[in-house]
Amino acid sequence: MIRTSKAQWNGSLKDGKGTVSLGSGAYDGQYSFSSRFESGTGTNPEELVAAAHAGCFSMALSAGLGKAGITPTRISTSAKVNFEKVGDGFSITRIDLVTEGDVPGIDEATFIEHAENAKKGCPISRALGAVEITLTAKLVNA
């Protein structure tokens, strides 16, 4: 499988504007210096990484539970990408995953164990291996 997306940037770093488009057509939007380094309108690469990581992790956790014969009702994950000035440039320095699961029939320790395995095995986590990834996992059975 090969997945594609594209971006176009027009102009200088501070005054320019860009667009990003997912190959599936599910998203097409703008980004700018302001949306990346300030609080401007539009997305930014780090926000897209956060969305990809949260989605990938949730699916990996569901898959791991499924392999153990456990069917989750709901897995909800947020990812916070820490983007900071490091030396002369900027880097993603840490990603904080926070997940909650409604998973009937298991205890919190079992849920946390599966969540830790998903954090290690999720393809996005593996691709971002140079970045510290933290995890907070909570079982919230209804």
Side-chain angles (χ1 to χ4, degrees):
M1 290 181 285
I2 297 175
R3 304 290 187 227
T4 62
S5 292
K6 65 181 180 177
Q8 180 171 314
W9 187 260
N10 300 312
S12 68
L13 175 63
K14 283 214 167 188
D15 298 322
K17 297 201 184 294
T19 57
V20 291
S21 301
L22 302 184
S24 66
Y27 178 79
D28 184 21
Q30 66 175 352
Y31 72 113
S32 64
F33 181 90
S34 176
S35 69
R36 190 169 196 194
F37 297 101
E38 298 165 353
S39 296
T41 302
T43 192
N44 56 68
E46 294 72 32
E47 182 177 60
L48 296 170
V49 167
H53 204 176
C56 182
F57 172 85
S58 292
M59 291 180 78
L61 179 51
S62 181
L65 290 164
K67 286 180 185 174
I70 303 164
T71 302
T73 301
R74 178 183 59 83
I75 303 291
S76 178
T77 306
S78 65
K80 181 168 58 172
V81 170
N82 295 266
F83 185 58
E84 303 175 68
K85 186 158 178 50
V86 177
D88 292 337
F90 284 82
S91 293
I92 293 174
T93 56
R94 189 178 75 241
I95 299 174
D96 301 313
L97 297 173
V98 177
T99 193
E100 292 184 349
D102 183 352
V103 187
I106 67 170
D107 60 23
E108 190 155 51
T110 302
F111 179 72
I112 290 170
E113 178 183 341
H114 282 281
E116 286 290 344
N117 289 336
K119 181 183 92 167
K120 294 174 197 159
C122 152
I124 300 294
S125 290
R126 291 195 316 248
L128 299 171
V131 176
E132 176 189 2
I133 300 169
T134 67
L135 173 65
T136 303
K138 182 178 180 184
L139 188 63
V140 291
N141 289 344

